[in-house]
Amino acid sequence: MKARINRKAWSEESKRSYAYLSNEAYYEDEKYKCNKCGKIAVFSAQEQKRAYEEKKRYIWQKRTLCPSCYSKYKDIKSKMSYFEQNLGSKLKGQSIDSSIIKEWLNILKELPSYGKPLDSAKVAMFEKMLQKNA
């Protein structure tokens, strides 16, 4: 499939890229391998048009996760955000239920499988907290 490119709708950052000067007239479906599960997925021409022209994503941004893994990653990020916002300030001086610490720790350890760096300091801190509570 193809979708006509409207470079005028790109983000200002994308307009400063080499791609802005190219002669390509259409987005085309792009196959890629998911970094998490290894399945082949497609970044469709219509999805590219929506991402680059409506959502103003940077033109060289590419997909690395299939839709299923990306959905799971968004759920993990949402849980992580919840923990950080609601429990982050309680880490010093207050006790947090060990089941919550275990869940938070599991999420921290799972993030690298989605291509994100491991927060080894926080992992060590949580493991130490769990050892004290054991």
Side-chain angles (χ1 to χ4, degrees), residues 28-32 40-45 47-48 63 66-67:
E28 294 186 27
D29 292 354
E30 294 178 8
K31 289 184 181 180
Y32 64 97
I40 300 298
V42 176
F43 188 18
S44 76
E47 289 172 325
Q48 292 173 57
R63 297 278 171 96
C66 68

